[in-house]
Amino acid sequence: MNENIYSLLEFEKILNRIQSYVYSGLGHELCENISFITNKDALQLELDKTSEMKDILMREEYLQLDGLQDVRKTLSKLNIEGSYIPSSEFLSILTFLRISRLTKSYFSRLNIGSEYDYKLIPKITSNLFNDKILESNIDSTIDETGTVRETASAELKRIRITIRKKTESLRKSLEKILKDISDKDYSQDDIITQRDGRFVVPVKVENKRKVPGLIHSSSNTGQTVFIEPAATIELNNDITELQYEEKREIERILAELAKKVRVHVIELKSNCGILAEIDFLQAKAKYGIEILAEKPILSRDEYEIKNGYHPVLLQNHKRDEVVPLNFRIGKEFNSIIISGPNAGGKTVSLKTVGLLALMLQSGILVPVHYESKFKILNQIFVSIGDQQSLENDLSTFSSHIAYLKKILDEADDKSLILIDEICSGTDPVLGSALSCAIIQNLSDRNSLSVVTTHNSELKAFAYNHLKIENASLEFNNETLSPNFKFNIGIPGQSFTFEIAEKYNFPTDVITEAKSYLSDSENKLEDLLKELNENKQKYSELKNEYDREVIRLKGLNSLYETKVSQLKANEKEILRKAKEEAK
């Protein structure tokens, strides 16, 4: 499928939002490599897993994966026998082991004493490898800063104690020497410092020959030289030798620890795959909770969106500020021609249909009613916006035609085709004729096609063809503003003259413009206007009727409650009367 489709439908904004919920590079990798799933069983399984994860998160505490890292490169370093890794990387493996154990425990206890039966996620995490002994071995060797603990071996403890003793002895000797040379005003500063790993004292350059020892370096100004006094050279040598011993012992300890981890490299790499999936599924589930997403029904031939919301609009607006889309195609008709004025919501409707399909077949839950139905597609074609190609020296119309040719070459009965302003940018009559032929061709293949247009010829074309249907978005005739409610079966009115009048166009210009229309064109516009007005009146009456039904149901419920109370009171009165009669 053309990568440009992801950009046209703003799919990257969905992925960016999901990635904001991901904990690790493992989960990010799955986000970046998300694929369009065309196999029904594979898609159903991915949606089921995501839906189950959403249910778990809504009923349980969120699974904490803080500190989860991708340790695959670290594990690969251990494949070579006798090799070892830096102590800080063992700390990453320790955190990874702990997260693996806690994740497995989190999901294994969910079904214990619960009314819910979670099957998919606990089955995935049941394969997580965990080893508390290995955790203990790493923890007893490496501290929280990533340093090898002194208690890692008796030999390391002996070496470090000896280093501390000799360092303290060296410091006392240097302090005595520094005091002597300071009293003689040979020293620049009364401090002991290090150069090249050796303890030294600062001496004024003019007094360097008065202090026996080795010069290691000088200051930037050249005013001071740093001398290792001759009296401390042997002690410095002892410390340096001990530090080499410490390094060799640490390497031996790390090699031993690496050997213990190496045995489980395959299991730990398997854990990487499992935890990547859990991280990714949890991120998708959290996003699903954010947008109130559901798992709709997968269908063989029907595509029906009930109360569908454009996910990007939900990121920028409150839910009650976004008008949901109710849309169907595939059962009674396979092609829809949406008409109506500009800024009426036609393009947004196209994008909503396409984005929801793209999200769902990427394994992402969508903000629709759970009874919605989605046909499984093999590919989606999208032509929206200015497709002018400077690189290929093509005009907007030529680029549009080139893409329509690609659609005709590749589309089949498992394709969804979304075309905004089909064949615009050329002669309206010829463009309409070509549009009709393209729509008919795609309809004959049983492709699902949704196109937008301003051409009246296409409205009539849809009316005269069984598998092709008109549609529009509701427009308020009084305010000349869109309501964004999708209407199937009714073509859209252009409102050309009405909008011109709204902007105070000269009356004589509008009157003359109307005179250029044929009687049939004038009648069509009047008919569409009447249809839209009647539709709005019907909607208002239906809403009023629905409110009245709800009110009457409430009154009926209240009446039944009162009757029940009266009957209960009647029984109580009779009981008391009988008791008093006795």
Side-chain angles (χ1 to χ4, degrees):
M1 195 161 61
N2 192 334
E3 288 296 318
N4 194 39
I5 288 168
Y6 289 91
S7 175
L8 288 172
L9 296 177
E10 300 180 280
F11 186 71
E12 73 282 354
K13 291 183 180 178
I14 308 301
L15 279 190
N16 289 341
R17 194 64 190 148
I18 292 172
Q19 285 183 322
S20 70
Y21 290 115
V22 168
Y23 279 93
S24 69
L26 293 166
H28 275 290
E29 186 175 301
L30 289 186
C31 268
E32 289 166 1
N33 295 321
I34 198 166
S35 59
F36 188 75
I37 307 168
T38 57
N39 179 274
K40 183 179 180 181
D41 293 337
L43 178 57
Q44 188 69 65
L45 177 60
E46 188 64 24
L47 293 171
D48 288 345
K49 288 189 292 187
T50 307
S51 181
E52 182 173 284
M53 180 67 88
K54 181 171 82 86
D55 291 342
I56 290 170
L57 296 183
M58 290 177 71
R59 294 165 184 153
E60 307 287 335
E61 292 182 1
Y62 279 11
L63 172 66
Q64 299 301 319
L65 297 175
D66 298 280
L68 178 62
Q69 294 182 32
D70 184 356
V71 296
R72 287 174 295 183
K73 287 184 179 178
T74 298
L75 294 171
S76 295
K77 295 176 188 176
L78 294 171
N79 283 334
I80 304 168
E81 195 68 33
S83 64
Y84 66 91
I85 55 177
S87 55
S88 59
E89 293 188 27
F90 276 109
L91 197 59
S92 298
I93 291 177
L94 174 60
T95 303
F96 184 80
L97 278 165
R98 284 174 176 164
I99 290 173
S100 298
R101 172 171 53 82
L102 293 172
T103 300
K104 186 174 184 177
S105 173
Y106 174 92
F107 288 106
S108 64
R109 66 174 172 77
L110 287 180
N111 291 327
I112 299 174
S114 172
E115 60 182 295
Y116 305 107
D117 185 19
Y118 303 115
K119 296 178 180 177
L120 299 174
I121 309 298
K123 183 179 179 181
I124 294 169
T125 55
S126 67
N127 295 316
L128 280 169
F129 164 78
N130 64 285
D131 188 335
K132 294 189 79 171
I133 294 175
L134 183 56
E135 280 185 54
S136 178
N137 286 335
I138 298 174
D139 190 38
S140 62
T141 303
I142 314 293
D143 68 17
E144 60 277 0
T145 67
T147 304
V148 176
R149 295 181 189 273
E150 190 170 285
T151 53
S153 76
E155 178 63 9
L156 182 62
K157 187 174 183 179
R158 181 195 68 76
I159 293 169
R160 285 184 175 173
I161 290 172
T162 307
I163 288 174
R164 285 197 295 271
K165 286 180 178 178
K166 285 190 176 288
T167 301
E168 183 61 27
S169 177
L170 175 61
R171 185 172 291 280
K172 286 179 179 178
S173 297
L174 286 170
E175 285 174 352
K176 185 176 180 301
I177 293 169
L178 185 59
K179 186 177 184 305
D180 289 343
I181 65 176
S182 292
D183 289 344
K184 296 174 183 178
D185 200 27
Y186 293 167
S187 175
Q188 186 72 25
D189 297 295
D190 293 339
I191 58 168
I192 297 167
T193 185
Q194 278 187 313
R195 288 294 185 274
D196 303 323
R198 312 282 286 191
F199 285 94
V200 295
V201 292
V203 178
K204 293 176 181 178
V205 67
E206 62 268 22
N207 299 317
K208 64 182 180 181
R209 299 192 184 281
K210 296 176 183 178
V211 180
L214 297 174
I215 298 175
H216 281 271
S217 66
S218 62
S219 64
N220 292 333
T221 61
Q223 302 274 328
T224 304
V225 292
F226 297 96
I227 296 176
E228 180 183 356
T232 63
I233 289 175
E234 187 176 347
L235 203 50
N236 252 326
N237 286 342
D238 289 345
I239 293 171
T240 300
E241 188 175 337
L242 283 166
Q243 287 171 340
Y244 281 124
E245 285 183 34
E246 180 189 27
K247 183 174 180 291
R248 286 193 295 271
E249 179 61 12
I250 287 174
E251 288 174 351
R252 186 195 67 78
I253 291 168
L254 294 179
E256 283 295 316
L257 191 57
K259 190 186 297 182
K260 293 175 182 177
V261 176
R262 187 176 295 114
V263 177
H264 301 294
V265 163
I266 294 174
E267 293 98 322
L268 290 171
K269 284 188 174 180
S270 173
N271 278 15
C272 286
I274 294 170
L275 290 175
E277 184 175 14
I278 293 301
D279 192 12
F280 182 44
L281 285 172
Q282 183 171 242
K284 290 197 295 179
K286 285 180 178 179
Y287 177 66
I289 292 170
E290 177 192 324
I291 62 171
L292 302 180
E294 296 286 351
K295 177 183 67 176
I297 301 163
L298 297 183
S299 171
R300 294 184 62 181
D301 52 15
E302 200 171 348
Y303 194 104
E304 182 178 11
I305 297 173
K306 293 183 178 181
N307 288 337
Y309 290 83
H310 193 296
V312 177
L313 291 180
L314 291 179
Q315 292 180 16
N316 303 316
H317 301 275
K318 294 178 181 178
R319 197 178 190 86
D320 57 9
E321 294 175 347
V322 181
V323 179
L325 175 68
N326 287 283
F327 173 94
R328 72 181 190 276
I329 192 173
K331 193 173 183 180
E332 305 157 41
F333 44 85
N334 55 29
S335 303
I336 293 177
I337 298 172
I338 308 174
S339 52
N342 283 326
K346 299 191 300 297
T347 304
V348 174
S349 298
L350 275 188
K351 287 186 172 183
T352 303
V353 172
L355 182 55
L356 292 179
L358 188 55
M359 284 173 64
L360 190 80
Q361 287 198 228
S362 299
I364 303 169
L365 302 180
V366 288
V368 299
H369 189 276
Y370 66 89
E371 290 181 345
S372 297
K373 298 174 183 177
F374 281 69
K375 179 178 179 178
I376 299 176
L377 308 165
N378 280 343
Q379 54 186 334
I380 301 172
F381 296 93
V382 179
S383 175
I384 294 175
D386 186 352
Q387 295 178 315
Q388 184 174 11
S389 174
L390 298 177
E391 182 181 345
N392 298 318
D393 194 26
L394 294 175
S395 67
T396 300
F397 181 69
S398 296
S399 294
H400 182 63
I401 289 297
Y403 190 66
L404 293 178
K405 170 65 166 56
K406 175 183 172 65
I407 294 173
L408 293 172
D409 287 342
E410 300 177 14
D412 58 20
D413 61 343
K414 291 184 178 179
S415 298
L416 173 64
I417 298 136
L418 307 170
I419 306 172
D420 193 27
E421 303 293 351
I422 186 169
C423 293
S424 60
T426 187
D427 182 283
V429 175
L430 301 179
S432 295
L434 184 56
S435 298
C436 292
I438 292 169
I439 295 167
Q440 185 64 66
N441 186 289
L442 295 173
S443 178
D444 291 343
R445 304 180 195 195
N446 207 28
S447 300
L448 300 183
S449 304
V450 187
V451 305
T452 70
T453 187
H454 285 287
N455 291 336
S456 298
E457 289 83 355
L458 291 184
K459 302 174 189 178
F461 175 73
Y463 182 78
N464 291 315
H465 289 76
L466 187 63
K467 287 287 186 178
I468 303 170
E469 186 60 272
N470 274 303
S472 60
L473 282 106
E474 193 173 292
F475 209 77
N476 190 304
N477 292 324
E478 294 179 1
T479 63
L480 295 179
S481 58
N483 293 335
F484 301 112
K485 290 181 180 178
F486 195 81
N487 294 323
I488 291 178
I490 301 176
Q493 189 181 352
S494 70
F495 289 99
T496 302
F497 299 135
E498 288 82 355
I499 292 172
E501 287 172 350
K502 181 181 177 181
Y503 286 95
N504 298 317
F505 246 66
T507 305
D508 57 331
V509 172
I510 294 174
T511 303
E512 186 173 352
K514 288 180 179 180
S515 71
Y516 293 133
L517 293 176
S518 64
D519 289 342
S520 60
E521 287 171 327
N522 271 315
K523 286 178 181 177
L524 176 61
E525 280 297 304
D526 290 341
L527 178 61
L528 290 176
K529 184 177 181 180
E530 186 179 344
L531 274 172
N532 280 303
E533 287 174 348
N534 289 336
K535 176 72 169 55
Q536 287 179 34
K537 287 177 183 177
Y538 167 77
S539 295
E540 290 170 5
L541 288 171
K542 185 178 182 301
N543 290 336
E544 187 178 335
Y545 169 78
D546 290 341
R547 286 193 297 271
E548 185 65 16
V549 167
I550 292 170
R551 189 183 72 84
L552 291 173
K553 282 182 179 179
L555 288 172
N556 188 53
S557 176
L558 181 63
Y559 169 77
E560 288 177 353
T561 302
K562 292 288 186 184
V563 169
S564 297
Q565 289 175 349
L566 285 172
K567 286 182 178 179
N569 290 339
E570 183 181 4
K571 287 180 181 179
E572 182 64 19
I573 291 168
L574 287 172
R575 185 185 65 76
K576 286 182 178 180
K578 286 179 181 179
E579 286 181 358
E580 290 174 0
K582 292 177 182 179

